[in-house]
Amino acid sequence: MDELKQLRDIFARNAERTLFMDARDQEEMTYGQFLADSLKLAGFLRQKGLGPGDPVVFSMDNCLELAALYLACMHLGALIVPINPALHSNDFRRILESNRPKTAFMTPDVRARVDEVLQEQTSVEIICLEAKVDPAGRNARDLINFDFHQELGRLTPMDAPFALADERSVLIRTYTSGTTSSPKGVDILYGGLLGNGLAFCRRLGLGWDSRFYNVLPMTYLGGFYNLMLIPILAEGSVVLDSPLGGASLYGFWANVQDFQINTLWFTATMLSLLMSLPDDEDLSFLKDQIKIGLCGMAPLSVEIKKRFEQRFGFNLYENYALSETTFLTTNHPGLPYKDGSSGPPLDGVVVEIVDRDRRPLPPGQEGEIRVRTPYLMKGYSGAADSDQANLTEDGFLTGDLGYLDEDGELFVTGRIKDVIIRGGINISPLGIEEILYEHEAVEETAVLGLPHPIYGEEVAAVVKVRPAFKGKITAEDLKALVAERIAHFQRPKQIYFIDEMPKGVTGKINKNLLRQLLVEKTDPLGG
């Protein structure tokens, strides 16, 4: 049975059951209502001249309107291109210029913030709508040109769900940092994403009684795939909310109880944030209510996992996934847990550990993780040659280090790729280094990730100043330069000055040694 047919059947079987609940305005929506709204929106997009393979850009916070627009694109076989609203306007420019979409959907606050960039994109029609639960948009109501709920009542729907979709076509182009300064697009196929989600649901035992809580941005793959599409594939339900943080952090467990949420998905950052809350709330209900807690998107320390489980009373099941491959391995109920394990591979997935010459290594030996999976992306968009080189005839080279035990379970131990993972989000050091090098005082610089109790890693920079500028340049001067160009979460929070950069035999800056010196808090830094 093909994956698109299974998706159609899921909507047909569950038409009267609740799919979405919005924690902010208490609105509920059944599978049938959601499907009907999305088919109307698909008809609207088709009238705009959009069809299979056409890119449609989205940038807005979590809302039911965004979910319906995503499904509308899936009916058309169109290409979903999400841009996280938190990204810098320079990233908006790059993504828009590389995709050349006819249409982009935004909320008023996003449109106002990147208006200068949008004015450059004369071929893009900006459809600006105010989501019901988006108070930020009310500050720019004059920008709204699409009354979502009023228009919905008079749109002509498409005849059949997913009628123009093809399992061999690209469903979503999600952007992530690679070895280059610009974000690269990862093209994920309809068949690959749906097939991987179904396999993941089977392995974890997710089903009609699974109620998820979506507090990840839906403009990232985790918010769209893990917490919108997988709940649908499981035939479950999902409570939609703003991304976790700030005031929403303090109401997290209350919403879990009030909405009877029993399936939770965490990043390592979310675990740290929840652990930071005062331990003065009666959460004894969690032990019986939570069926399964999932954790992925960044390495999880064994210590944090154990402390979290002990405090909140339910188990966490780790997995290993990449944007390029989606889920590769996962722990699951019934499998005895081993400290540090990401679990065995999903059905159809082959995981190998290889040495520098790409020869397979035996169990217990550390090397690069190479995978063969039927769920592999179609390819990259706008990637460097070094990224393309990961796609080999023998499998996909992940750039991560790890080993397999005798039972075939994967243990991820580190990564080869020079990418910082802050709160589950990839950040390219090269792009930040290029900005720092624009300052005439900077002779050499290295940007790296340092351990952080909440975000996993925090961005830091080490700078060697040209002799003529010694004592004349400050860390704040360089931070101000970077702040003009990139989003806040990408900026170095600490900038250190050094007299000489440690280097390897090839003359390349030794970032591992720099990181070690900073972490150990020795006194290697001069200037």
Side-chain angles (χ1 to χ4, degrees):
M1 185 185 295
D2 67 79
E3 285 81 5
L4 282 168
K5 184 179 186 305
Q6 291 186 64
L7 187 57
R8 292 187 193 98
D9 291 346
I10 286 170
F11 276 97
R13 280 196 299 269
N14 296 280
E16 301 301 320
R17 294 183 59 240
T18 297
L19 170 56
F20 283 112
M21 287 156 284
D22 198 303
R24 295 156 295 186
D25 67 358
Q26 311 297 310
E27 181 179 355
E28 293 194 16
M29 184 172 286
T30 65
Y31 276 81
Q33 291 170 316
F34 183 59
L35 181 65
D37 286 354
S38 65
L39 284 169
K40 289 180 180 180
L41 291 167
F44 170 73
L45 294 177
R46 201 170 183 184
Q47 290 174 4
K48 293 280 182 185
L50 296 168
D54 288 331
V56 185
V57 164
F58 298 93
S59 188
M60 60 185 74
D61 291 323
N62 291 2
C63 57
L64 289 174
E65 292 89 343
L66 178 57
L69 285 163
Y70 277 164
L71 200 70
C73 285
M74 293 176 65
H75 296 314
L76 281 179
L79 171 59
I80 296 169
V81 183
I83 306 178
N84 191 287
L87 286 179
H88 194 275
S89 58
N90 289 339
D91 293 315
F92 274 79
R93 180 180 289 109
R94 294 187 191 104
I95 295 172
L96 288 169
E97 289 179 351
S98 63
N99 286 280
R100 304 283 180 188
K102 296 178 184 176
T103 307
F105 286 86
M106 297 180 182
T107 42
D109 54 317
V110 178
R111 181 174 180 177
R113 190 171 64 80
V114 297
D115 186 60
E116 183 179 344
V117 170
L118 297 177
Q119 289 183 25
E120 301 168 4
Q121 311 298 319
T122 56
S123 62
V124 183
E125 179 186 11
I126 307 299
I127 299 179
C128 189
L129 61 126
E130 180 186 9
K132 286 174 62 179
V133 295
D134 179 25
R138 295 172 190 156
N139 295 326
R141 290 191 60 86
D142 55 311
L143 296 177
I144 296 171
N145 57 16
F146 183 70
D147 189 322
F148 187 94
H149 295 280
Q150 183 175 330
E151 292 292 333
L152 207 58
R154 53 191 181 212
L155 294 175
T156 302
M158 273 184 62
D159 293 334
F162 315 109
L164 300 180
D166 187 313
E167 293 179 5
R168 298 162 295 180
S169 297
V170 179
L171 189 163
I172 185 169
R173 177 172 292 158
T174 182
Y175 279 85
T176 181
S177 294
T179 56
T180 62
S181 59
S182 299
K184 67 177 185 288
V186 179
D187 288 351
I188 305 173
L189 298 168
Y190 276 81
L193 200 62
L194 297 176
N196 185 258
L198 290 166
F200 189 81
C201 290
R202 288 193 298 270
R203 178 63 61 86
L204 271 300
L206 304 174
W208 64 270
D209 57 345
S210 299
R211 176 162 291 178
F212 297 75
Y213 192 17
N214 191 346
V215 290
L216 292 174
M218 290 172 63
T219 44
Y220 277 124
L221 190 59
F224 165 68
Y225 177 45
N226 300 24
L227 286 167
M228 176 189 144
L229 197 53
I230 281 181
I232 293 172
L233 295 173
E235 305 187 47
S237 57
V238 57
V239 176
L240 193 60
D241 207 345
S242 302
L244 187 68
S248 67
L249 179 63
Y250 291 90
F252 181 86
W253 294 119
N255 278 343
V256 168
Q257 184 173 28
D258 291 346
F259 287 96
Q260 289 297 294
I261 294 160
N262 57 28
T263 305
L264 292 168
W265 211 311
F266 302 99
T267 64
T269 298
M270 291 168 63
L271 296 180
S272 297
L273 287 171
L274 291 166
M275 288 288 288
S276 71
L277 292 173
D279 192 6
D280 57 1
E281 191 175 359
D282 181 8
L283 300 176
S284 56
F285 71 93
L286 291 173
K287 183 176 181 181
D288 295 322
Q289 181 174 315
I290 302 302
K291 289 177 51 184
I292 193 163
L294 303 164
C295 189
M297 290 171 268
L300 175 64
S301 82
V302 173
E303 181 183 352
I304 289 178
K305 178 181 185 296
K306 289 181 175 179
R307 285 173 51 214
F308 185 92
E309 290 176 338
Q310 182 175 7
R311 175 171 170 180
F312 296 111
F314 60 91
N315 293 331
L316 294 175
Y317 297 94
E318 297 168 73
N319 54 67
Y320 176 59
L322 303 168
S323 299
E324 292 91 337
T325 62
T326 56
F327 291 104
L328 294 164
T329 73
T330 187
N331 285 285
H332 56 86
L335 178 72
Y337 178 72
K338 304 170 186 175
D339 286 350
S341 171
S342 297
L346 294 180
D347 292 340
V349 175
V350 176
V351 176
E352 294 179 303
I353 308 299
V354 297
D355 62 17
R356 292 183 179 180
D357 297 319
R358 300 182 181 176
R359 295 174 299 195
L361 292 169
Q365 288 196 26
E366 183 186 71
E368 184 169 8
I369 301 169
R370 183 174 71 187
V371 300
R372 294 191 298 276
T373 171
Y375 315 118
L376 186 67
M377 65 174 179
K378 182 177 182 180
Y380 289 118
S381 173
D385 291 342
S386 54
D387 288 312
Q388 301 286 5
N390 294 332
L391 294 161
T392 75
E393 291 183 358
D394 297 319
F396 178 74
L397 293 166
T398 65
D400 291 323
L401 293 169
Y403 66 91
L404 294 168
D405 70 3
E406 294 288 349
D407 297 319
E409 293 188 35
L410 177 66
F411 294 74
V412 181
T413 57
R415 62 185 180 274
I416 299 170
K417 295 183 290 187
D418 188 17
V419 174
I420 299 166
I421 302 180
R422 182 186 187 273
I425 299 172
N426 288 0
I427 298 172
S428 167
L430 181 59
I432 305 168
E433 290 166 359
E434 288 176 351
I435 295 172
L436 289 170
Y437 273 122
E438 292 179 11
H439 198 291
E440 58 182 348
V442 176
E443 181 174 327
E444 290 183 311
T445 186
V447 173
L448 42 85
L450 297 181
H452 190 278
I454 292 178
Y455 295 112
E457 286 188 317
E458 186 57 276
V459 184
V462 181
V463 173
K464 179 183 177 183
V465 176
R466 297 183 188 278
F469 291 87
K470 280 225 168 184
K472 301 177 182 178
I473 182 76
T474 68
E476 295 307 313
D477 294 331
L478 296 177
K479 287 181 180 180
L481 170 67
V482 173
E484 295 174 358
R485 302 283 297 280
I486 56 177
H488 66 92
F489 63 84
Q490 298 168 314
R491 300 169 193 165
K493 301 304 180 288
Q494 297 292 332
I495 296 181
Y496 304 91
F497 293 98
I498 194 168
D499 290 327
E500 290 295 332
M501 288 285 189
K503 295 180 179 178
V505 293
T506 62
K508 184 177 180 181
I509 294 173
N510 188 333
K511 289 189 176 182
N512 287 334
L513 179 56
L514 273 178
R515 187 179 293 107
Q516 180 182 343
L517 293 171
L518 292 172
V519 169
E520 291 178 356
K521 296 182 180 179
T522 57
D523 191 26
L525 305 180

